[in-house]
Amino acid sequence: IMSGMVQSKLRVHNGTVQESSLYYPSREEVERDRENDGSPAMTSKAWAKEVVSETLKSPTKLKAHFWIAPLSSVVWFANWFLPRTAFDSLFIKSFSLKKLERAS
């Protein structure tokens, strides 16, 4: 399953990262990302319904990979036409994962 944005409690409710969390060194970025930033997102119920529908297809119609939810086509494009390290760089920068590396 290759998915775009799906609504969840992490994306809808503001919360704080506890000091005991593995993600505490990156708490500012994690908390910022928890906010609903207006990005298009599929409801979790609609997402689950589509996933179940796709997985229950007959073996001859079942796809090895399927792309669902908003913006999944953007990820599909990047997956095919950008180097694999593009995702690494994006997530390392977006979530300040270097802070986690230093903290461990």
Side-chain angles (χ1 to χ4, degrees):
I1 301 169
M2 308 303 204
S3 181
M5 298 295 290
V6 179
Q7 292 175 359
S8 71
K9 289 182 181 178
L10 283 176
R11 302 244 346 127
V12 176
H13 299 118
N14 292 329
T16 57
V17 178
Q18 302 300 311
E19 282 187 55
S20 59
S21 171
L22 171 69
Y23 300 101
Y24 188 75
S26 293
R27 67 190 172 280
E28 291 174 15
E29 293 79 7
V30 171
E31 289 171 2
R32 180 192 68 227
D33 191 58
R34 283 183 174 189
E35 297 173 11
N36 186 345
D37 63 1
S39 298
M42 182 180 241
T43 67
S44 55
K45 185 176 181 178
W47 183 87
K49 190 173 184 177
E50 195 165 332
V51 168
V52 169
S53 173
E54 187 66 35
T55 56
L56 292 178
K57 287 183 178 177
S58 70
T60 57
K61 293 183 179 181
L62 188 61
K63 301 172 188 170
H65 297 73
F66 53 96
W67 298 81
I68 60 171
L71 302 178
S72 61
S73 57
V74 174
V75 177
W76 175 88
F77 180 86
N79 184 55
W80 278 99
F81 297 105
L82 296 176
R84 293 279 181 212
T85 56
F87 287 110
D88 297 342
S89 300
L90 174 69
F91 286 108
I92 288 169
K93 288 177 186 171
S94 295
F95 300 105
S96 297
L97 295 179
K98 289 282 186 192
K99 290 180 183 179
L100 296 179
E101 181 181 72
R102 288 192 295 269
S104 59

